[in-house]
Amino acid sequence: MNQLKELVMAGKAKEAEARTRELLAKKTEAEVILQKALIPAMDEVGELFQKGEYFVPEMLVAARAMKQAMTVLRPVFKEKDIQPLGKVLVGTVKGDLHDIGKNLVAMALEGAGFEVIDLGVDVEPEKFVEAVKSHNPIVIGMSALLTTTMMSMKDTMAALKSAGIRGQVKVMIGGAPIRKEFADEIGADFYGRDSIEARNFARLVVQNEA
Amino acid sequence: MQLAASGLRMPIGADIILHQQPDPEAVLLDGERLGRMFADTAVRFKTPLAMVRMDLELERNLLLRSLGIREDEIPKFHFSGGPSEGIRSIIESGFKAQLTPRLKAQLDAIRYVSGCPGLFPVGMSIGPFSLMTKLLADPISAVAMAGSGLVAEDDPEVNLMEKLLQVCSEILQVTIGAQLEAGAKAVLIAEPAANKVFLSPRQISKGSDIFERYVLEYHRRIKNLIEGHDALYMLHDCGELTDYMVEKLAGLKPALLSLGSSRPLWEVEPMVPKDVVLFGNLPSKQFFSDNIITVEQVKQTACEIITRMKALDHPFILGSECDVIMVPGREREITEKVQAFMEVVCG
C-alpha cells in the first residue's frame, strides 16, 4: 500500500495504475486502496504544497497518477455501489476560458473521494442553475482568472437565488484576482486561496461544519 | 534610465482609454484610430512611452487562423498533435496572407505612433513560453514531466510541448519583427506564465534546466532580434516568481523589467542589476474593488514604493503591476485609483 502511495506522490501514473491492479489481484478491497493509499497520498501532497515544499506541477502530476489509479477502482465501486463522499460542481464562469485553477480544484476534490461534476469553462449562470437542479451537489466551486470575468460570479449567485436554490448548496469561489472581500461582497460562502483550501472546505461541508 | 530618473509614473493603461471610446471593438480594427488612442494614452498619463495595448490572444489567434481552425473553435482550441507541416511555409511567408485584422491594425497603430513627435512607440507581444501554454490543454504536466527528466523521444506530451514552443518562438520572431519594422523603438514581452505555477521550483532546485531551456533561451533570441533593430527589449512577468526566477529574468538585462505584485519591488531590487529599470508594482488587478483596496491605500502603497526605491537608489518607474484592465461597472473605482497614484504627493 505504501508503494502505491509513494508512486502517486511521485506522479508516476502508469506505475500507480499497475500497482493498483496488483493490489486488487491480491484481493485488497478497492475501498481500502482508496482510503489507505490514494487519499493519504493526495493529503500528503496537499500538506507539502501548503508547506511550500511541493508546487502546482507536483500536485498536478500526483493528481493525474491518482486519476489513473482510479480508472482501475471506479468500476469496482460501481459494481459494489460504493458512494462518493459527496458531489461537487465546478466550473469556470461565463466569459472566462482559463481552466488550470478549476482543474486543480477538481483533482484535489477527486483525490479526497468526492465525485466532481466539471461543467468546463465559460459556464453561463443558467448552466450552473440547471446543473444544481439535476445533480444536487453539496458544493459549487466557481473559478475566474480575469478581473473582467469575475463579475459573472455575482451573476451566478443572483441566478441561484432567483431560482430558489441558493439555500440548498454551498458556494466557494477562487482564482487569481479573487479575494475574501469579493466573496463576502457577492455572498459566496467561502473563498479558497488554492485547491487544498477548496478541498478542505468541501470536507467541512460534508461534516456539517461549514 | 532618463525617464526613471525624472520620476516618471504611469500605468500600462491603453485598455483604460480604449474603454472610454464609444466603440472599442471598432477601434481595435482601425490602425489609425488605434494609433491615436495609444498616443492619447501616453498624453493622458504624461509619459512619452506610447505602449501598445496588452492583448495576449493576438498571436494565438494568428497561428490558429493560419492553420484553418474554425473561428468559433479558436477560443477553446488545444493541440492534441503537432501543427501540420504547412505551418513552416506560413511562418516563412511572414503570415502575409493570413495577418489577422487586429494584428494588422496594431502594426498600423505603431506606424501612426512612430510618426508622432515626442512619443516613443513601445510594441507588445506575448512571450513564447506563455503562448505555448495557451495551446495545450495541460501544459503544466508536460513541463513537469520534462522537468523530471523525460525527453521528447520518451513522452508524447513532452514532445508536443517542445514542438509547439519552437513554433511559438518562430511565429514571434515574425510578429515582433513586424512591430519593429513598423517603427517600434522598444517591445515589451509579456511572459506571465514563466512562474512557479508552470515551472516547478522544486525541480529547478534539484538541478532541472527547464527555466533555462523553455524560457530564457527563447528570450535571448527575442532580445537579439529586438536589439538588432536598435530597439529596447523590455520584459513583463506578473506571475509568482522565486528568487531564482527573478535573478534569471533580470540577468537577461531587459531595459525595463515589469514585475507583478507578488513581491514588493524593494525586495526583488537586490537581485536586479542597476542598469535594469524596474517598473511597477502597484496591485492594479485589485483596483476594481474599494473593499479590497481604497484610494487612500493606493496612495500609501505608491509612497512606500517611491520612498523605499529611492533609498535603494535603483532606477524605477512607479506603475501598475500589469495592464490596467477595465472591469465593467467598476470604471470609477479603477480610474480614481490610477489617478491617485499618478498624482499623490509623498511627504
Side-chain angles (χ1 to χ4, degrees):
Chain A
M1 207 71 83
N2 254 348
Q3 193 193 349
L4 175 57
K5 185 181 162 194
E6 296 295 327
L7 288 169
V8 170
M9 288 182 66
K12 297 194 179 301
K14 282 180 200 157
E15 292 88 337
E17 181 191 341
R19 182 63 189 150
T20 307
R21 287 191 196 285
E22 276 174 30
L23 288 168
L24 275 182
K26 287 179 185 167
K27 307 286 178 214
T28 312
E29 291 288 335
E31 179 75 4
V32 173
I33 296 173
L34 179 69
Q35 296 296 339
K36 301 282 183 197
L38 301 184
I39 292 179
M42 290 310 294
D43 279 353
E44 198 166 329
V45 166
E47 277 168 34
L48 290 168
F49 176 76
Q50 292 201 309
K51 279 190 209 162
E53 290 174 32
Y54 265 29
F55 298 88
V56 169
E58 283 79 18
M59 278 216 299
L60 211 53
V61 293
R64 278 165 57 124
M66 162 140 187
K67 216 169 179 171
Q68 193 74 25
M70 284 300 290
T71 60
V72 180
L73 297 185
R74 206 163 281 128
V76 183
F77 289 149
K78 201 171 175 188
E79 197 182 294
K80 294 188 173 178
D81 198 26
I82 295 171
Q83 295 300 313
L85 206 50
K87 270 189 204 173
V88 181
L89 208 62
V90 297
T92 304
V93 296
K94 185 184 169 189
D96 202 320
L97 301 170
H98 297 88
D99 62 0
I100 290 170
K102 183 261 299 168
N103 292 347
L104 281 167
V105 169
M107 286 180 171
L109 289 164
E110 282 174 344
F114 288 93
E115 180 183 347
V116 176
I117 315 289
D118 187 346
L119 300 179
V121 296
D122 192 18
V123 182
E124 303 265 351
E126 298 71 29
K127 199 171 167 190
F128 275 107
V129 169
E130 283 164 27
V132 170
K133 287 179 180 167
S134 56
H135 294 287
N136 198 23
I138 53 164
V139 177
I140 299 178
M142 286 193 274
S143 169
L145 183 79
L146 306 173
T147 45
T148 42
T149 56
M150 59 194 273
M151 293 303 163
S152 296
M153 291 179 169
K154 194 177 178 180
D155 300 338
T156 307
M157 294 301 293
L160 292 170
K161 211 170 171 182
S162 70
I165 52 174
R166 172 67 185 95
Q168 72 185 57
V169 66
K170 297 282 184 187
V171 178
M172 61 183 179
I173 64 171
I178 314 290
R179 297 288 179 276
K180 185 184 178 306
E181 291 85 346
F182 182 70
D184 294 342
E185 198 176 307
I186 66 169
D189 299 296
F190 183 72
Y191 154 69
R193 267 186 314 171
D194 54 47
S195 58
I196 303 305
E197 287 193 359
R199 178 203 68 188
N200 292 345
F201 176 72
R203 279 180 168 161
L204 288 176
V205 173
V206 169
Q207 294 157 8
N208 281 322
E209 288 174 18
Chain B
M1 280 291 177
Q2 283 170 350
L3 290 172
S6 73
L8 179 70
R9 307 171 185 193
M10 60 176 283
I12 302 177
D15 198 65
I16 302 174
I17 308 302
L18 175 71
H19 285 93
Q20 290 171 358
Q21 314 300 311
D23 51 354
E25 284 303 315
V27 173
L28 289 172
L29 298 173
D30 182 330
E32 193 179 327
R33 289 185 69 196
L34 191 60
R36 211 177 307 132
M37 197 271 290
F38 294 147
D40 286 349
T41 305
V43 171
R44 183 83 64 92
F45 295 117
K46 300 187 179 78
T47 171
L49 301 180
M51 281 189 180
V52 166
R53 179 171 169 267
M54 199 183 276
D55 182 347
L56 303 189
E57 291 299 322
L58 278 182
E59 293 83 359
R60 181 178 181 277
N61 287 344
L62 173 68
L63 167 65
L64 298 182
R65 276 185 173 205
S66 303
L67 289 171
I69 309 297
R70 269 182 25 211
E71 201 66 28
D72 60 328
E73 288 178 355
I74 285 178
K76 294 182 184 175
F77 183 87
H78 290 126
F79 282 96
S80 49
S84 63
E85 279 308 308
I87 190 65
R88 292 269 164 257
S89 59
I90 296 171
I91 293 172
E92 279 160 20
S93 79
F95 292 96
K96 283 187 175 62
Q98 293 90 356
L99 213 56
T100 62
R102 276 201 182 189
L103 204 49
K104 190 176 172 307
Q106 177 157 307
L107 296 175
D108 289 342
I110 292 171
R111 266 181 219 107
Y112 177 91
V113 174
S114 68
C116 297
L119 289 183
F120 190 85
V122 181
M124 188 88 69
S125 170
I126 190 170
F129 184 77
S130 300
L131 179 55
M132 177 277 292
T133 65
K134 285 174 171 281
L135 298 171
L136 283 173
D138 182 7
I140 300 178
S141 295
V143 174
M145 284 189 278
S148 73
L150 288 179
V151 293
E153 290 75 31
D154 299 337
D155 187 276
E157 285 187 70
V158 174
N159 184 34
L160 175 58
M161 181 268 292
E162 290 187 349
K163 254 189 193 157
L164 285 173
L165 187 51
Q166 180 59 31
V167 167
C168 292
S169 170
E170 290 170 28
I171 289 168
L172 296 182
Q173 289 284 320
V174 174
T175 52
I176 294 167
Q179 293 190 52
L180 294 162
E181 295 295 336
K185 298 284 180 219
V187 183
L188 180 68
I189 309 297
E191 192 71 285
N195 64 44
K196 65 184 193 183
V197 171
F198 286 87
L199 296 136
S200 163
R202 184 180 163 89
Q203 290 183 334
I204 291 169
S205 70
K206 285 183 171 177
S208 169
D209 65 349
I210 44 176
F211 200 75
E212 167 63 36
R213 239 180 334 140
Y214 296 148
V215 179
L216 301 176
E217 176 53 32
Y218 289 103
H219 271 261
R220 284 190 200 103
R221 295 182 200 176
I222 290 173
K223 182 179 155 88
N224 285 342
L225 169 71
I226 295 172
E227 293 181 349
H229 281 74
D230 285 327
L232 299 175
Y233 162 73
M234 297 175 167
L235 178 57
H236 168 79
D237 187 344
C238 59
E240 273 193 62
L241 304 172
T242 62
D243 286 357
Y244 169 91
M245 292 169 179
V246 173
E247 278 169 17
K248 291 293 179 184
L249 293 174
L252 290 169
K253 293 283 193 89
L256 178 144
L257 180 60
S258 159
L259 298 170
S261 65
S262 71
R263 312 271 301 268
L265 218 50
W266 56 87
E267 214 177 88
V268 298
E269 188 278 338
M271 298 170 232
V272 180
K274 294 280 186 200
D275 55 352
V276 174
V277 174
L278 278 164
F279 181 94
N281 61 357
L282 288 154
S284 48
K285 289 179 187 171
Q286 304 301 332
F287 281 5
F288 72 92
S289 169
D290 289 341
N291 292 328
I292 297 174
I293 189 163
T294 63
V295 169
E296 258 333 288
Q297 286 168 324
V298 170
K299 287 181 183 172
Q300 282 165 14
T301 311
C303 288
E304 186 174 16
I305 294 173
I306 290 170
T307 309
R308 286 185 183 254
M309 290 304 290
K310 275 189 179 164
L312 291 167
D313 196 25
H314 194 119
F316 79 103
I317 295 172
L318 181 72
S320 48
E321 66 176 311
C322 196
D323 58 330
V324 184
I325 296 176
M326 265 305 162
V327 179
R330 302 296 176 104
E331 292 82 357
R332 177 195 58 78
E333 288 89 336
I334 293 169
T335 44
E336 268 182 11
K337 285 165 199 165
V338 170
Q339 201 70 11
F341 86 72
M342 290 294 294
E343 290 173 0
V344 64
V345 179
C346 305

